[in-house]
Amino acid sequence: MALFTYDSDDAELIHDFANDYLDLYEAAESTILRLESNPDDTETLHALFRAVHTVKGNCGLLGIHPLVDLLQQTESVLDLVRHGDIAFQPLIGDLTLLVLDRCTVFINSLERRLEAEYDSGLFAVVAKQIGSAATSPTNQQIKMLT
């Protein structure tokens, strides 16, 4: 396990970030539910992409680097979906929620103690697998995410 420590005395900043994250998580969750019944809704696909993109950007701005690569790879898959390169499937929604759930645990810990313990090896493997799927031939992408 690795330990990430937030290097700022501004706990209020992390608190605000955690509140914003919760709103973005809920937005992502609701868009995923809408996409499961209407997977071709481009506005909803863009909304899901924006939610993950915003979380990643906020993590980058605050220097929360352990989450950035994981979110970047997830964003890459969602970018393929929103551009029509692969179709939205429940598996992609599940993957997005699993990544966000890991972020939630990390961020909740960070908000409470200004540090978060996480499995850096697992984060790296998951990010690599998602990234590999995003850059694979179209007919193999979904298979690589399972």
Side-chain angles (χ1 to χ4, degrees), residues 15-130:
H15 179 70
D16 291 344
F17 164 70
N19 284 334
D20 289 344
Y21 171 80
L22 181 59
D23 292 341
L24 291 164
Y25 179 92
E26 290 172 358
E29 189 175 44
S30 67
T31 57
I32 289 168
L33 289 173
R34 287 195 313 269
L35 285 168
E36 287 181 358
S37 62
N38 189 6
D40 297 323
D41 181 348
T42 56
E43 187 173 316
T44 305
L45 288 168
H46 288 301
L48 178 57
F49 176 86
R50 278 192 310 275
V52 172
H53 178 75
T54 302
V55 170
K56 181 199 73 170
N58 290 347
C59 286
L61 288 172
L62 292 174
I64 306 171
H65 301 294
L67 300 181
V68 172
D69 191 37
L70 194 57
L71 290 162
Q72 175 60 54
Q73 300 310 323
T74 305
E75 180 184 298
S76 295
V77 170
L78 294 174
D79 194 42
L80 291 170
V81 173
R82 76 182 180 134
H83 285 106
D85 296 326
I86 58 176
F88 180 84
Q89 298 178 28
L91 172 68
I92 293 170
D94 293 345
L95 169 72
T96 303
L97 288 176
L98 285 171
V99 168
L100 291 174
D101 286 344
R102 288 288 177 172
C103 292
T104 299
V105 171
F106 189 101
I107 291 166
N108 287 343
S109 177
L110 196 59
E111 183 181 22
R112 282 192 308 274
R113 301 187 316 260
L114 293 180
E115 63 183 23
E117 202 171 57
Y118 66 103
D119 188 334
S120 61
L122 177 64
F123 277 33
V125 166
V126 170
K128 182 179 178 186
Q129 186 65 28
I130 296 169

